[in-house]
Amino acid sequence: MPEPCQQIGIIHSPFKQKFGIPRQAGLIAEASGFVELLPPYNQPEALTGLEEFSHVWLLWQANTINRDGWKPTVRPPRLGGNQRVGVFASRSIFRPNAIGQSLVSLGDIVTTQQRCGFNVSGLDILDGTPLIDIKPYLPWADALDDAVGGFAHDKPESQLKVRVAQEAVAQLELLRERDPQMMRLIERVIEQDPRPAFHQSDRQYGISIGEYDVTFRCIELIAHITSVAQMDEKG
Amino acid sequence: MPEPCQQIGIIHSPFKQKFGIPRQAGLIAEASGFVELLPPYNQPEALTGLEEFSHVWLLWQANTINRDGWKPTVRPPRLGGNQRVGVFASRSIFRPNAIGQSLVSLGDIVTTQQRCGFNVSGLDILDGTPLIDIKPYLPWADALDDAVGGFAHDKPESQLKVRVAQEAVAQLELLRERDPQMMRLIERVIEQDPRPAFHQSDRQYGISIGEYDVTFRCIELIAHITSVAQMDEKG
């Protein structure tokens, strides 16, 4: 059996719950966070030269998955949730080893006495997820222009138009002033249509992003944000 | 700490020793092998739909690395072996978790009672390496056309021209007739210049590829194959 992986770091992300996380890295540029190395791996030298790269792969391991739940097939949202494909023909996190592989944009590298790591954007990872590896993106090796991507060949289109419901206008104006980046992130996340494949059209959905609890309701392909509330800091 | 990874399969490769393995997947199309799923993961359903993809990521874990040997910096061959970069700015296998991530071309899928897996080419993995995950390559997510690859931005050029030394002509003619694909693989591997950065010009190097032991010697940038011998099948 392979040796157990050591946790080398932790991923700080605006996604506090699984619902709403983009279904692939890079889909939402606004989804930014911080990748923090933990002792004994938090040595600035270990990141020397990384700043020359524009993108990095993060390998991480979902720590909330019941391993007994593994099945040989899964139902990817891309196929409407009603068609099964092999687990190895998908990137579902419900797989034998719950390893995720996310390609993110690299931002500033931070190596102070308190913190060793780097900013990233384009995240699709739950806040607090254990990091097990970081690898630079090599364009000549990783960017294949002749690859064929099966049932998931094309980028998913944004599914929903996002509007603000009458009752939430004041809250969202306030947010847009105070934290315009968070406002954009919330809009992008809802645009991707995070609802499960078989959704009830009249249901209100709740989503936690950063410090905010957001609710929305859909009328056909328009999502109306119905409330935004700042969570208790201790959440 | 993350849960230990299960070995889900094994990689059958022509590379029987570390010396000579290409320094990235995809560099040598002729490097083909078989990815075999092991029980309880060898269920044909787990591969359903994979045949629609042209390329797959293999995640594997080097099982021959001394974990104590991890250092925060490494000396990549791309920089001549005399300049250090951070281990996370490299894909060196000498890293905290010895996980490799290889992008390979997908060949035929085989699901018989005896064997469940698929053929691949473009390998850069040692024979017998434990497999921990398989993920389909998604062109829209993985192929970035604007990425910058730091010190390793461009594809490495072939370093050596390969010739056959006078004393090996008969052996290699025989090989070329019997197994032309192996002959091409041997040439490609030596072309990549597998020698360590600080090499003695007059040394003879030995390399094991598939069932063959090959020796070569370099005179400036020309590699002369000096012998090819078929190993004992039980090798």
Side-chain angles (χ1 to χ4, degrees):
Chain A
M1 197 203 293
E3 293 183 48
C5 285
Q6 304 301 312
Q7 177 174 356
I8 65 162
I10 185 168
I11 296 154
H12 300 283
S13 151
F15 302 114
K16 310 295 181 190
Q17 52 165 206
K18 272 186 273 183
F19 184 64
I21 296 182
R23 281 158 181 167
Q24 213 55 241
L27 277 176
I28 301 186
E30 290 83 354
S32 54
F34 188 75
V35 174
E36 181 177 10
L37 293 176
L38 296 176
Y41 306 104
N42 57 347
Q43 302 183 35
E45 302 88 322
L47 299 175
T48 306
L50 192 65
E51 71 282 355
E52 292 182 30
F53 294 83
S54 62
H55 295 78
V56 292
W57 292 105
L58 303 179
L59 295 183
W60 45 276
Q61 200 164 12
N63 54 4
T64 57
I65 303 266
N66 179 359
R67 204 57 64 85
D68 300 337
W70 173 74
K71 294 212 181 88
T73 59
V74 296
R75 295 186 294 191
R78 285 294 285 267
L79 293 174
N82 51 12
Q83 196 178 330
R84 290 197 167 270
V85 302
V87 67
F88 299 126
S90 89
R91 299 208 195 174
S92 164
I93 202 61
F94 298 94
R95 57 199 309 114
N97 298 308
I99 297 179
Q101 176 183 331
S102 299
L103 178 55
V104 295
S105 291
L106 178 64
D108 289 340
I109 294 178
V110 177
T111 54
T112 65
Q113 286 236 317
Q114 285 73 42
R115 261 193 152 189
C116 180
F118 46 86
N119 290 300
V120 293
S121 60
L123 278 172
D124 63 342
I125 309 176
L126 190 68
D127 187 45
T129 294
L131 179 72
I132 56 175
D133 207 356
I134 300 159
K135 293 181 199 287
Y137 184 81
L138 302 181
W140 60 268
D142 298 346
L144 304 182
D145 44 16
D146 60 342
V148 176
F151 65 85
H153 187 75
D154 299 311
K155 192 164 181 163
E157 299 289 322
S158 292
Q159 295 294 317
L160 300 175
K161 295 230 174 291
V162 180
R163 301 278 178 271
V164 176
Q166 193 56 41
E167 66 266 34
V169 166
Q171 286 175 341
L172 282 159
E173 276 308 306
L174 199 65
L175 175 62
R176 203 185 298 273
E177 255 172 48
R178 196 192 288 162
D179 192 347
Q181 199 179 338
M182 177 56 67
M183 181 67 205
R184 280 194 297 274
L185 175 58
I186 291 169
E187 287 172 335
R188 291 298 95 76
V189 166
I190 298 177
E191 264 177 19
Q192 297 286 326
D193 198 354
R195 295 176 299 168
F198 300 103
H199 42 71
Q200 303 150 276
S201 59
D202 57 347
R203 199 187 133 176
Q204 179 159 280
Y205 291 89
I207 199 165
S208 299
I209 307 179
E211 305 299 309
Y212 296 89
D213 280 327
V214 183
T215 61
F216 68 96
R217 188 189 299 274
C218 293
I219 301 174
E220 291 174 347
L221 289 179
I222 300 176
H224 299 265
I225 299 177
T226 47
S227 74
V228 171
Q230 192 156 11
M231 286 185 276
D232 191 332
E233 291 284 318
K234 293 275 175 193
Chain B
M1 195 204 292
E3 293 183 49
C5 285
Q6 305 302 313
Q7 177 174 356
I8 66 163
I10 186 168
I11 295 154
H12 300 284
S13 151
F15 302 113
K16 310 295 180 190
Q17 53 165 206
K18 273 186 273 184
F19 184 64
I21 297 182
R23 281 155 182 169
Q24 213 56 239
L27 277 176
I28 301 187
E30 289 83 354
S32 54
F34 189 74
V35 174
E36 181 176 11
L37 293 176
L38 296 176
Y41 307 103
N42 57 346
Q43 302 182 35
E45 301 89 323
L47 299 175
T48 306
L50 192 66
E51 72 283 355
E52 292 182 29
F53 293 84
S54 62
H55 295 78
V56 292
W57 292 104
L58 304 179
L59 295 182
W60 45 276
Q61 200 163 11
N63 54 5
T64 55
I65 303 268
N66 178 1
R67 204 55 66 83
D68 302 335
W70 174 74
K71 294 211 181 87
T73 59
V74 296
R75 296 187 293 191
R78 284 296 283 267
L79 293 174
N82 52 10
Q83 195 178 330
R84 291 196 166 269
V85 302
V87 67
F88 299 125
S90 88
R91 299 209 195 175
S92 165
I93 202 60
F94 297 95
R95 57 200 308 114
N97 298 307
I99 297 179
Q101 175 183 330
S102 299
L103 178 55
V104 295
S105 292
L106 178 63
D108 289 339
I109 293 178
V110 177
T111 54
T112 64
Q113 286 235 317
Q114 285 73 40
R115 262 193 150 188
C116 180
F118 46 86
N119 290 301
V120 293
S121 59
L123 279 172
D124 63 342
I125 309 175
L126 190 69
D127 187 46
T129 294
L131 179 73
I132 56 175
D133 207 356
I134 301 159
K135 293 181 198 288
Y137 184 81
L138 302 181
W140 60 268
D142 298 346
L144 304 182
D145 44 18
D146 61 342
V148 176
F151 66 83
H153 186 74
D154 299 311
K155 191 164 182 164
E157 299 289 324
S158 292
Q159 295 295 317
L160 299 176
K161 295 231 176 288
V162 180
R163 301 277 179 272
V164 177
Q166 193 56 42
E167 66 266 34
V169 166
Q171 286 175 339
L172 282 159
E173 277 309 305
L174 199 65
L175 175 61
R176 205 186 296 274
E177 254 171 51
R178 197 190 289 162
D179 191 346
Q181 199 179 337
M182 177 56 67
M183 181 67 204
R184 280 193 298 272
L185 175 58
I186 290 170
E187 287 171 334
R188 291 300 94 75
V189 166
I190 297 176
E191 263 177 19
Q192 297 288 323
D193 197 354
R195 294 176 299 166
F198 300 103
H199 42 72
Q200 302 151 276
S201 60
D202 56 347
R203 199 187 133 176
Q204 179 159 281
Y205 292 90
I207 199 166
S208 299
I209 306 179
E211 304 300 309
Y212 296 89
D213 280 327
V214 184
T215 60
F216 67 97
R217 189 188 299 274
C218 293
I219 300 173
E220 290 175 350
L221 290 179
I222 300 177
H224 299 265
I225 300 177
T226 48
S227 73
V228 170
Q230 192 157 10
M231 286 186 277
D232 191 333
E233 291 284 317
K234 294 274 173 191

